[in-house]
Amino acid sequence: MIEHNFKKKFGQNFLKDSNIIKKIIDSSEIEKESLIIEIGPGSGYLTKELVKKAKVIAYEIDEDLKEILSKEFYNEENIEFIFEDFLQRDIKSDIKKYNYNKLYVIANLPYYITTPIINKIITEKLEPEKMVIMVQKEVGDRFSAKVGTKEYSSITVFLNYYFDIKKEFVVSKNSFIPKPNVDSMVISLTKKKNQKKVRNEEKFFQLVKNSFKYKRKTLKNNLKDYDFSKIIEILKKYNLKEDIRAEQITLDQFIEISNNI
Ligand code: SAM
């Protein structure tokens, strides 16, 4: 195993199971002439397999890993390491210099910034074809939740607006060094082919956020500042009751509500 002083503050739990790496690569279905973004290569265990498939830009915040990585990837042409905080970096200008057909994000994410990373990818319009990411298991359950379940939340609706989300497989905490407290899950998010667009994204995101503000409250109570009579018309169309909760409302219904208020 590598000589490295693992840093909890950077979410450093490195994979040690080659079978999991293989399964991540298989789930990614990376096409030729692609560009891969990896966030947090760590010691390069996953990176080693990624560079066999396509060009990779890997962002690593921990400069202590520079030596290990530069030794491991000495003479490797398919890799560019950027030792900076992914969240602070202008990713668009980094990827501009490459010619590629499709963009992928493949990473065993640092869990303390899972949502900020995904938000950045969406708001900065990187528009990857596919993301295959390892997240905390319960986060994966939330991202891929079905309508009507307790895990279904505003982030589920946001992500489903852009992506088809699939649970790939669960990863035991024993597959990492050091061993974390929780199990993990690999999920894939594939860009929607026929994305149904809302008229005003900002308005839509605000509506969804407000709808889920207090989980135990009804939609009507969470949306006190809206003209609810218009919303009722749409609920009626779908045979939904007035005292419904946000977790019962599908993405398409949220889109319709947003477009009509
Ligand atoms: N890819 C390796 C693996 O699978 O074994 C390591 C994954 S580890 C869960 C997360 C990695 O993300 C660590 O190497 C950590 O230093 C790095 N990291 C944490 N915060 C980061 C940030 N803001 N920007 C870039 N890398 C970060």
Side-chain angles (χ1 to χ4, degrees):
M1 203 56 214
I2 53 147
E3 292 248 342
H4 176 65
N5 190 6
F6 288 95
K7 299 182 186 70
K8 213 174 173 179
K9 67 169 177 183
F10 290 148
Q12 290 183 344
N13 300 98
F14 292 1
L15 273 166
K16 59 170 187 180
D17 182 342
S18 59
N19 197 33
I20 303 294
I21 302 282
K22 188 180 175 307
K23 281 166 82 176
I24 294 175
I25 300 287
D26 289 348
S27 313
S28 302
E29 300 173 303
I30 304 156
E31 290 181 20
K32 281 197 183 124
E33 313 296 326
S34 296
L35 178 65
I36 304 171
I37 292 178
E38 186 188 7
I39 301 136
S43 62
Y45 201 42
L46 171 61
T47 324
K48 259 193 289 192
E49 298 307 314
L50 294 177
V51 293
K52 292 181 189 163
K53 299 284 176 188
K55 286 226 170 333
V56 179
I57 307 183
Y59 296 87
E60 177 53 65
I61 199 170
D62 186 0
E63 296 212 16
D64 288 354
L65 290 161
K66 228 178 207 169
E67 203 183 318
I68 296 170
L69 289 171
S70 43
K71 263 192 207 146
E72 182 72 47
F73 293 88
Y74 183 71
N75 269 348
E76 173 58 62
E77 284 181 357
N78 265 353
I79 185 82
E80 179 187 359
F81 286 111
I82 296 177
F83 288 94
E84 258 186 57
D85 182 347
F86 177 79
L87 295 178
Q88 300 302 325
R89 185 83 189 178
D90 179 355
I91 313 295
K92 267 239 158 114
S93 77
D94 290 337
I95 61 179
K96 234 182 354 211
K97 39 182 202 255
Y98 290 93
N99 281 324
Y100 59 89
N101 286 337
K102 289 183 176 166
L103 180 67
Y104 292 77
V105 174
I106 302 170
N108 172 12
L109 290 181
Y111 296 166
Y112 72 107
I113 45 170
T114 300
T115 308
I117 288 174
I118 295 174
N119 272 340
K120 181 178 171 85
I121 292 166
I122 293 176
T123 53
E124 293 185 8
K125 299 206 183 309
L126 300 182
E127 302 193 342
E129 184 65 24
K130 190 166 182 179
M131 300 205 266
V132 178
I133 50 175
M134 174 106 65
V135 297
Q136 213 173 300
K137 184 179 171 296
E138 61 179 36
V139 172
D141 282 333
R142 201 154 3 107
F143 287 179
S144 57
K146 297 275 171 279
V147 67
T149 62
K150 71 174 189 320
E151 289 83 13
Y152 188 78
S153 51
S154 55
I155 188 95
T156 322
V157 182
F158 294 144
L159 291 179
N160 274 284
Y161 177 65
Y162 296 103
F163 303 104
D164 292 321
I165 304 170
K166 187 175 162 213
K167 286 184 191 181
E168 295 289 347
F169 51 93
V170 172
V171 182
S172 151
K173 48 185 156 217
N174 296 318
S175 300
F176 299 87
I177 176 163
K179 183 173 155 181
N181 295 326
V182 289
D183 286 332
S184 295
M185 185 191 283
V186 171
I187 57 167
S188 63
L189 300 95
T190 308
K191 189 159 89 186
K192 283 205 162 157
K193 292 250 155 32
N194 299 307
Q195 190 196 9
K196 203 184 250 183
K197 285 262 188 186
V198 285
R199 260 183 233 137
N200 180 335
E201 285 194 354
E202 214 174 298
K203 192 169 141 188
F204 168 70
F205 294 142
Q206 200 54 53
L207 167 79
V208 175
K209 210 170 142 199
N210 289 335
S211 301
F212 284 91
K213 191 159 184 200
Y214 299 105
K215 270 235 132 178
R216 282 198 201 95
K217 285 195 175 180
T218 61
L219 184 73
K220 193 173 182 177
N221 279 330
N222 277 332
L223 298 181
K224 280 227 155 71
D225 298 332
Y226 289 72
D227 176 358
F228 207 72
S229 62
K230 285 191 185 148
I231 300 178
I232 287 181
E233 280 172 34
I234 297 163
L235 295 178
K236 268 194 189 145
K237 193 174 139 190
Y238 292 100
N239 284 328
L240 299 173
K241 294 203 182 100
E242 229 177 273
D243 62 353
I244 194 166
R245 285 187 169 72
E247 69 205 37
Q248 307 285 344
I249 297 181
T250 64
L251 168 68
D252 284 358
Q253 288 161 354
F254 271 119
I255 292 175
E256 193 167 336
I257 293 172
S258 174
N259 284 345
N260 285 286
I261 53 172

